[in-house]
Structures are given as C-alpha cells and as structure tokens.
Amino acid sequence: MWQTLLKHREALLAGVIVLMVLAIGSRAPSFLAPSNLVEMFNDTSILIILALGQMMVLLTRGIDLSMAANLALTGMCVALLNFHHPEIPVAVLLVIATLLGLLMGIINGLLVWKLGIPAIVVTLGTMSIFRGIIFLLTNGGWINAHQMSAGFLALPRTAVLGMPLLSWCAVAALLLVGYVLRYSRTGRAMYTAGGNATAAYYTGINAGKMQFISFSLSGALAGFCGYLWISRFAVAYVDVANGFELQIVAACVIGGISTMGGTGRVLGCLFGALFLGVINNALPVIGVSPFWQMAISGAVIVIAVLLNERGNKRKDRLILRDVALSRQKEAVKP
C-alpha cells in the first residue's frame, strides 16, 4: 500500500485537489467559473515559484528559512527605488531585485558551504538580519500604492493569453527548474549530493558546492518574487510575507520533496503549492473557520512527512539488503 501511494503520489495529490475543487464548487458554483480558477492559480503563483527554490535546497539536504525575508527586503529595495526614481524602467527594477536576492542566497550558501554551519541555523540568522535591514532602511515606515508608479504596479496584472503575467512567470519557472533538474549536469548532481553524499564524493561531486548553488538559485527566485509580491499587493513594509517561509516548506513536503534530500519532482512541488492554494482560497468561500483551515493543512503536512519518511526507510532497507546479498556472495566464493 505504501509503495503504491509513493509511486503515484503526484497523481493522488492531483486527484485530491480536483475532488476538493469539485466539492467546494458544489456548494459555491461560482467557484468553478474559469475566471475564478485562473485567479486562484494566480494567487498561488508566488508560492509556486518560491517552493521551486526551496525544493532545490531541500534536494541537497539543506533548508532555507530566509526566503520570505529575502523577498521582503528585495521588494522594499525596489519599492524605495521606484518611489525616489520613478523613471527607472520596471525591467531594470526586476533585474535589480533578482540580483539582490541572488546576493543574499550567495551569503547563505557560503556560510553553509565554507564554514560548515547547519543550514537551518544560517537561514534563521539571516532571516532576522534581512528583516532588520528593512527596518533600518525605512525606520518602520511603509511604501503605499499611491507612492508607486503605474508601470510598477501594472506589470504582474498585464493579461497575456487570458492569464496575468504573474501566472506566466510561475509557468516559466516550472519549465525552467524542471529542465535544469532533469537534463542539466548541475541538476543531476543536486539529486546525487542530497541522496548519497558518499557516492557523490567518489563520483567527483562536491556536495557543499551543490548546496551553495541551490541556495544561490533559491535566493535569486526569492528576489524575483520580491518585486512580484510588492507590485501585486501594492504595499511594502517590514513584515511583508512574515511567516510565509512555513507555507513554502509545507508546499514542498506535501508535494513529496524529502527533507532528507535527494527525492522530489517539480510536478509534486506544483501540486503541493496548489493544494495549499485551494485551502487558502477556497475554504473561506464555504465558511470554513481559520482554525479548521490550519488544522487541515497541518494534518496533510503530517501525513506527507510520514509518507516521505516511510519511503526513505524503504530505500534504506533495500540498500542494506543489497549490501548483505553482495557479502553473502563474496563469502561463498571458493
């Protein structure tokens, strides 16, 4: 039973999402309107992009708890630039946000790789540092919609082929990360480094360097989302996306990305984020209280972790069995 669930995890999760949407639609028919479904995907787009970045870190046996703070700091920086210099093109601001996020990811990666500090400790520290820098920049102040230029606010909302550009950014991120992990040497090395560091060492893969690369890419995606978040919600302040890092990790775990490294697929990451998107967007429509929303999300996360750990133990038993068999064969040789 466990093997079957793990083998068809993405299909099972997709089925659960469809059933949830249909069940909610039976009570609120307007929920099934195509425009509403497009809007729900759009609401989940930033979570999808951030979960893809977190996925790469988890694959290498790390964790990045500073993604939401990275997003908040880069978003505040570009909002301030837009406020004081509205003549700067939005495309340039988007590049600046991505590069700032990349720099913060590089800092995390270097501390983990070169100094050997556990990733959870590093990113908890940098999370507080990034939030503190926002306060220093603004003295606790806000940047509101009327202080932002029209072009700054319009980009994510621009419709292309029936979907906002924000949604297309999520689609592009899915395709790009999926291609890198499946077909590039770096992507395959991430899986190897996280799945078996000893095997990675003997095949010439530097596990620490793979963690550095994954943190750098995660930071770049968080920086990219910094502009998208601030532009979409039209406000920048110290506590933007506060606590959102837990949603990011939850989306990965629900989607089957193991916290022990080396296991997970982009499709699972997508479905994990969409599941949380349905919970956050749909359950309030039918009057489900915030307590039950949190309880349902928490229960699903616990079940997902149990499935992940069950799969990891199964793999460990298979490896030990193969080692034992090989030793028995060596022992019976004349």
Side-chain angles (χ1 to χ4, degrees), residues 4-121:
T4 303
L5 288 174
L6 291 169
K7 186 177 180 181
H8 304 288
R9 186 189 188 108
E10 287 87 2
L12 177 64
L13 191 52
V16 170
I17 293 170
V18 171
L19 289 176
M20 287 177 58
V21 170
L22 292 176
I24 294 166
S26 66
R27 295 190 58 180
S30 61
F31 183 76
L32 294 177
S35 59
N36 187 70
L37 296 177
V38 168
E39 184 60 28
M40 186 169 63
F41 180 82
N42 194 54
D43 287 340
T44 314
S45 294
I46 293 177
L47 177 59
I48 292 171
I49 298 171
L50 293 172
L52 290 169
Q54 188 71 252
M55 173 187 175
M56 289 185 282
V57 177
L58 290 174
L59 287 177
T60 59
R61 292 199 176 191
I63 189 169
D64 188 353
L65 298 179
S66 67
M67 291 191 77
N70 181 328
L71 177 155
L73 178 53
T74 54
M76 178 60 78
C77 287
V78 294
L80 286 170
L81 278 173
N82 180 251
F83 173 56
H84 292 291
H85 302 281
E87 72 278 2
I88 298 177
V90 175
V92 174
L93 293 177
L94 193 54
V95 171
I96 291 173
T98 304
L99 292 177
L100 283 174
L102 174 63
L103 176 61
M104 285 182 268
I106 287 173
I107 292 171
N108 285 334
L110 286 174
L111 291 173
V112 173
W113 177 26
K114 294 298 184 181
L115 299 185
I117 306 173
I120 191 170
V121 176

Side-chain angles (χ1 to χ4, degrees), residues 71-282:
L71 177 155
L73 178 53
T74 54
M76 178 60 78
C77 287
V78 294
L80 286 170
L81 278 173
N82 180 251
F83 173 56
H84 292 291
H85 302 281
E87 72 278 2
I88 298 177
V90 175
V92 174
L93 293 177
L94 193 54
V95 171
I96 291 173
T98 304
L99 292 177
L100 283 174
L102 174 63
L103 176 61
M104 285 182 268
I106 287 173
I107 292 171
N108 285 334
L110 286 174
L111 291 173
V112 173
W113 177 26
K114 294 298 184 181
L115 299 185
I117 306 173
I120 191 170
V121 176
V122 168
T123 55
L124 276 173
T126 54
M127 175 179 69
S128 298
I129 292 171
F130 298 159
R131 294 280 181 189
I133 292 173
I134 301 173
F135 189 86
L136 290 176
L137 289 174
T138 64
N139 198 29
W142 293 42
I143 303 293
N144 295 307
H146 68 274
Q147 298 169 300
M148 303 175 188
S149 68
F152 184 89
L153 296 173
L155 185 63
R157 297 173 175 81
T158 303
V160 179
L161 299 177
M163 285 202 310
L165 195 57
L166 174 58
S167 297
W168 287 112
C169 288
V171 173
L174 285 164
L175 295 175
L176 180 61
V177 174
Y179 178 84
V180 168
L181 292 178
R182 186 175 180 86
Y183 297 106
S184 74
R185 180 179 299 178
T186 299
R188 294 193 295 270
M190 285 182 184
Y191 278 101
T192 305
N196 192 327
T198 303
Y201 174 80
Y202 284 111
T203 55
I205 296 172
N206 187 325
K209 185 177 181 180
M210 289 302 104
Q211 280 195 320
F212 169 76
I213 292 173
S214 67
F215 273 108
S216 300
L217 295 174
S218 171
L221 288 175
F224 180 76
C225 287
Y227 163 75
L228 295 177
W229 183 293
I230 300 303
S231 176
R232 173 164 173 72
F233 295 105
V235 64
Y237 56 99
V238 174
D239 289 329
V240 159
N242 192 23
F244 200 65
E245 56 275 347
L246 301 180
Q247 290 270 317
I248 299 167
V249 175
C252 291
V253 172
I254 291 171
I257 290 84
S258 174
T259 56
M260 300 301 293
T263 303
R265 297 200 301 172
V266 167
L267 197 59
C269 190
L270 168 64
F271 289 145
L274 287 177
F275 178 88
L276 291 178
V278 172
I279 293 290
N280 295 331
N281 287 278

